[in-house]
Amino acid sequence: MTDLSRFQPLDSGAVPRFAGPATFMRLPVAEPAEVDVALLGIPFDGGTTNRTGARHGPREIRNQSSLVRRVHHATLASPFDRLRVADCGDAPVNPVDPAESIELIAGFYASVRDAGAVPLTAGGDHLVTLPILRGLHRGRPRGLIHFDAHSDTYDEFFGNRYNHGTPFRRAIEEGLLDPKRMVQIGLRGAISDAANYDFAKGVGLRQIFIEELMARGVADVMAEARDIVGAEETYVSFDIDVIDPAFAPGTGTPEIGGVSTFQAQALVRELAGVAIVGADLVEVSPPLDPTGITALTGATMMFELLCVMAEAVAGPL
C-alpha cells in the first residue's frame, strides 16, 4: 500500500496556520514523479486583455489555502488519505514574452504527464489552459467541462490569436479537445458582436448560459455535462469569474449575475464519476481584491476539485 504519511498537510494544532512555508494546502514540496496529484502554479497573465494581476494568483492562493482542512465536510472524504498530493512548484514563464511562456509551460506539463502525475493548477489567466492541454496531450482529443462567464472561443484580439479569450478555439483547432465532448457552463454578459458565439455553435460545442443553469438547476445541468463528456478522459477548467463578483471581485473581467460560491461548490461536486485527467482554477487577480476573499474562494474550489479528482485517480470509495 502507498505510504501517505509524508503527504499530509501540516497539523494546525502543532504549527499555526499563519506559520510555516506557504505551500498549497500546507502540503510538502515534492517532484511530480513522487505524487498522484501535483498541485501547480502558473504565474502568468501575459494573455490578459484588460485588468491584469492574475500572475500573482498562485502565490496568494497558496497563502489563502492555509485555511483548507483535511476532510470534506459534506462527504467526509479526505483526498490526502487516498492520494499522494504535494506542491510541485510553478511552471516556468517569461513575463515579457508570451510566446516563449506558452512553450515553457507546455514543456513543463509534458514532463508532469510523463512523470505520471495528474495536475491541478492555479493560474494565471485563462490562456494558460492551452499550453497545459498541449503538454498533457497523448494523441487523442479530450473532453472538457468548462465553468466560465466567457466562452474564450474568439479568434483574436488586436490581431493576436493567443490571449485569454482564445484558448479553447485554438485547442479545438489543434485537435487537443473534441468539441462534441465539450460543455461550457455559466456563460453570461453582453458581447461585442452577435457573431461571437458562431464558431462554438458551428463545431457543436454545448453552451449553457446562466439563465438556463438557474432555470434547470445544478443537478440537471451537471447530469447533462456528464453525459456529454461520457466515460472518456476529460479536462476541467474553472474560471473564477463564473462566480458573481459580489463573491469573488478579484478577477480581470468580472460579469454580474453569476453563480454564488455555494452553487459553485455544488457544480464541482457533481463532477464525481468524471474521468478527470487534469484541472485548473484561473483568473484570480489578488491586486484587485485586497480582502483576499477571491483567492480564498480559489483555494477552496481547488480543494473541491481535488476531492472529485481523488475519486477519478484512486477510484470510488
Side-chain angles (χ1 to χ4, degrees), residues 20-80:
T23 61
F24 285 120
M25 305 180 197
R26 309 189 85 205
L27 287 161
V29 174
E31 294 296 322
E34 300 177 276
V35 302
D36 302 304
V37 173
L39 302 181
L40 303 161
I42 306 182
F44 172 85
D45 61 7
T48 306
T49 57
N50 187 19
R51 304 197 304 174
T52 59
R55 67 182 62 189
H56 301 289
R59 180 169 292 186
E60 186 58 22
I61 290 172
R62 281 184 172 95
N63 185 39
Q64 294 293 340
S65 74
S66 66
L67 290 170
V68 170
R69 273 77 168 185
R70 295 185 68 257
V71 180
H72 194 286
H73 74 279
T75 66
L76 300 181
S78 171
F80 313 113

Side-chain angles (χ1 to χ4, degrees), residues 227-241:
D227 286 342
I228 288 170
V229 298
E232 296 183 52
E233 293 183 343
T234 298
Y235 190 84
V236 177
S237 189
F238 191 102
D239 189 322
I240 201 72
D241 71 26

